[in-house]
Amino acid sequence: MGKTIEPIRWSPQPASRKPSQATDAMVVEVRNLNFAYGSTNANRVEVLAGIDFNLAWGQTSALIGPSGCGKTTFLYLLAGLLAPTGGEIVVKSPPALILQDYGLLPWKTVWDNAALGLVIRGQSRRQSREQVVPTLKSLGLWERRFHYPAQLSGGQRQRVAIARALALNSQLLLMDEPFSSLDALTREELQDTLLGIWRRSRISMVLVTHNIEEAVYLGQKIIVLSKAPARIKGIIVNQGMGSDDYRNQAQFHQRCREIRQLLQS
């Protein structure tokens, strides 16, 4: 579906240089990515160094690493909110971004917040309704469609943020610690919700998290980053992700130990 879309490229390379060819199997390709804040040597802060990253269509990936290592910056680069200072990013589906603070407008209802991206895109009321109604119903928000964010729990607000992203019908979902402010039980409930969405739609997802168990539960491929300037310390292929009752399986706990050891090394 998304493969008919012209790839989006973010690269500081001169226009005269022909960009490398993207691989059809991948929705995201990152090659030798570097990023730094500051325009001069005196104030330059290196954040990411030599990052290579691929995400296949329908695959999920979790990024985990120390605080301040550049995980959120990496996500903003994928979303096109920042431009790399070196290397190349190819994204072949317009991404939808979910932030950790929900990003809801307090003066708009659940319905209006969920439909906001479609309104910005200029979709008609009928088109918006066709996409928002089933999305709100699937996330258990239909009965609260006329409520405002202040009338919702933290978990419900995060569901609205997810609904807004899903209503855009994007094939690539970027999430910046979406469940970090929630209590443990609500967090697991929304992890299960997200897993159910992925099982039904096979949407491609990149999840930034500080939580080891969350990374293992939701990431088919887990990228462990070093301290800034971040490099990839290890890539763990998590074959059990998505299996029934995965949290209680020995393989789940083994993957958690592997990540913990990488982070501590």
Side-chain angles (χ1 to χ4, degrees):
M1 177 178 178
K3 296 183 182 180
T4 60
I5 297 174
E6 182 67 21
I8 303 167
R9 297 179 187 270
W10 289 281
S11 173
Q13 298 164 353
S16 59
R17 177 176 173 178
K18 185 178 180 180
S20 52
Q21 295 299 313
T23 304
D24 287 343
M26 301 297 165
V27 62
V28 174
E29 291 186 79
V30 175
R31 288 177 281 273
N32 195 31
L33 174 66
N34 295 280
F35 181 81
Y37 289 107
S39 56
T40 66
N41 290 335
N43 65 1
R44 189 178 180 87
V45 178
E46 299 288 343
V47 181
L48 301 170
I51 301 293
D52 291 314
F53 172 84
N54 291 325
L55 184 72
W57 291 93
Q59 187 180 40
T60 73
S61 181
L63 271 70
I64 191 166
S67 295
C69 74
K71 299 185 298 295
T72 296
T73 298
F74 180 76
L75 211 64
Y76 287 177
L77 286 160
L78 294 185
L81 300 177
L82 295 172
T85 52
E88 183 182 38
I89 300 173
V90 179
V91 177
K92 288 182 277 185
S93 179
L97 180 63
I98 298 177
L99 302 172
Q100 56 183 301
D101 61 355
Y102 316 132
L104 304 182
L105 300 180
W107 60 87
K108 288 186 176 290
T109 63
V110 167
W111 175 277
D112 289 333
N113 268 292
L116 183 60
L118 298 173
V119 172
I120 292 173
R121 286 185 176 181
Q123 294 229 17
S124 68
R125 185 183 298 272
R126 180 184 61 80
Q127 290 173 318
S128 296
R129 183 175 178 81
E130 288 175 355
Q131 291 173 247
V132 173
V133 170
T135 302
L136 291 182
K137 287 182 177 180
S138 68
L139 290 170
L141 293 168
W142 180 248
E143 300 301 325
R144 300 183 183 275
R145 63 191 181 279
F146 301 127
H147 289 199
Y148 291 88
Q151 299 173 295
L152 306 176
S153 68
Q156 289 167 339
R157 292 177 194 174
Q158 192 55 273
R159 286 178 185 272
V160 178
I162 294 173
R164 182 173 56 197
L166 294 178
L168 293 171
N169 201 29
S170 172
Q171 297 303 300
L172 176 60
L173 193 59
L174 308 177
M175 295 167 286
D176 183 19
E177 298 188 67
F179 312 133
S180 60
S181 63
L182 305 175
D183 63 85
L185 290 178
T186 303
R187 184 174 190 143
E188 288 193 0
E189 177 187 340
L190 282 179
Q191 289 170 359
D192 290 340
T193 297
L194 193 61
L195 182 62
I197 291 169
W198 175 77
R199 282 172 167 168
R200 293 192 300 272
S201 66
R202 283 301 193 265
I203 188 172
S204 306
M205 299 191 299
V206 180
L207 168 72
V208 164
T209 181
H210 278 104
N211 187 283
I212 293 174
E213 287 75 17
E214 183 168 271
V216 176
Y217 192 64
L218 293 174
Q220 289 178 302
K221 181 168 64 173
I222 303 164
I223 311 298
V224 181
L225 298 177
S226 69
K227 294 180 181 179
R231 300 178 182 274
I232 294 178
K233 293 183 71 174
I235 300 176
I236 294 176
V237 178
N238 184 25
Q239 295 176 334
M241 179 269 178
S243 60
D244 293 336
D245 200 30
Y246 189 38
R247 289 190 185 96
N248 294 318
Q249 294 180 21
Q251 186 181 9
F252 176 86
H253 298 288
Q254 175 60 31
R255 293 289 177 266
C256 290
R257 285 192 293 271
E258 290 176 20
I259 294 173
R260 190 168 287 109
Q261 289 169 358
L262 274 172
L263 289 171
Q264 294 173 347
S265 64

